[in-house]
Amino acid sequence: MTTVSERTLADLYPTRGSEEVLIGRKDPVVWSEPGTPGPFWARELEDFERDGFLAAEQLIGPEEVDEYRAEMDRLVSDPAVRADERAIVEPGSGEVRSVFEVHRISEVFARLAADPRIADRARQILGSDVYVHQSRINAKPGFGASGFYWHSDFETWHAEDGLPRMRTVSVSIALTPNHTTNGSLMIMPGSHRTFLGCAGATPKDNYKKSLQMQDAGTPTPEALTRFATACGIRQFTGAAGSATWFDCNAMHGSGDNITPYPRSNVFLVFNSVDNLPAEPFAAPVRRPSFIASRDFTPLP
């Protein structure tokens, strides 16, 4: 495992400057060698390489979904969790929107993060041992839960957390049915091959605002129109237990949920142990460890 002190870092993906910039991806999408054993079929990795995402109709079974949803409900309703800085509430309703670091505060979600069906897929994509960079549950209750505006996760993780390379992958596992009407995930296929460096400086403690409504690191409508025209938009629906793997630089977002039906998921981010964060590339200070982990222990 390469430590921060052993690396000489160059900023390959400048962002938060005076204007938006487009930069071609300088990193692999799939880091493992062709033919490396793992849960993904070779064809699936080819699809992930091309599109920047891969959907699974069922990653976990119905009984597991019940267990994880019950644990989510327990966390969301726990007054101690709600009072903790890990909990993010909806600006309007005051309902819990997200709870971060669930793999540290919940044995149930810790087991899920280390589950070979999940961790081995992350290892196969990233070509190395992995640790959890971030975890959270997104409750997204009905009747007014706000969406997540279009963004690249890597832009934020690079600018504010100091991740140097695009060697990070996320999985969103549905704990409730995802419909076209209740704010399901949208991704622009192929957008992961171009980095959009956003304009504007990062305010101090930006995370306190961005976790409710993102501002810094937000693409302009002109840039998003250009991406959507070139790439199109794919919306992901599925039953509880379905999942979507997506590359850290994929342009994605989700709409508001004004239906009665919650769209809840557990979100796990895996980073390579060879891609440890340094100082932020475009922010005055690092975000807290409950958002960007500083425990780099590889998953078993």
Side-chain angles (χ1 to χ4, degrees), residues 159-275:
E160 300 185 36
D161 299 338
L163 292 189
R165 310 296 293 266
M166 294 181 182
R167 200 170 181 178
T168 313
V169 67
S170 302
V171 62
S172 175
I173 305 171
L175 300 182
T176 58
N178 282 221
H179 306 296
T180 57
T181 52
N182 68 344
S184 59
L185 176 68
M186 297 181 288
I187 299 179
M188 298 185 185
S191 59
H192 63 303
R193 294 196 169 276
T194 302
F195 176 75
L196 179 63
C198 296
T202 308
K204 185 179 179 181
D205 292 338
N206 178 57
Y207 75 94
K208 293 180 179 179
K209 179 180 178 182
S210 67
L211 296 180
Q212 292 184 327
M213 187 65 67
Q214 188 163 343
D215 187 10
T218 302
T220 63
E222 293 77 16
L224 289 172
T225 300
R226 184 174 179 181
F227 268 79
T229 300
C231 301
I233 296 173
R234 166 82 183 272
Q235 187 170 23
F236 294 85
T237 59
S242 62
T244 306
W245 290 88
F246 57 102
D247 179 82
C248 60
N249 191 47
M251 191 67 71
H252 66 287
S254 63
D256 295 348
N257 181 13
I258 60 172
T259 75
Y261 313 112
R263 181 237 159 187
S264 302
N265 70 310
V266 54
F267 182 73
L268 300 168
V269 180
F270 300 95
N271 188 39
S272 168
V273 296
D274 295 321
N275 189 44

Side-chain angles (χ1 to χ4, degrees), residues 56-69 108-109 111-113 115-118 121 171-176 239-245 264-266 268:
E57 289 187 7
Q58 185 178 64
L59 184 61
I60 59 175
E63 291 184 1
E64 294 173 290
V65 169
D66 291 342
E67 178 186 13
Y68 297 127
R69 191 160 53 206
V108 173
F109 287 119
R111 291 199 308 270
L112 178 64
D115 190 307
R117 292 171 297 177
I118 296 169
R121 282 176 163 83
V171 62
S172 175
I173 305 171
L175 300 182
T176 58
S242 62
T244 306
W245 290 88
S264 302
N265 70 310
V266 54
L268 300 168

Side-chain angles (χ1 to χ4, degrees), residues 42-53:
R43 177 61 182 274
E44 291 178 313
L45 290 178
E46 291 171 3
D47 290 346
F48 186 86
E49 175 95 29
R50 181 192 66 231
D51 296 330
F53 59 79

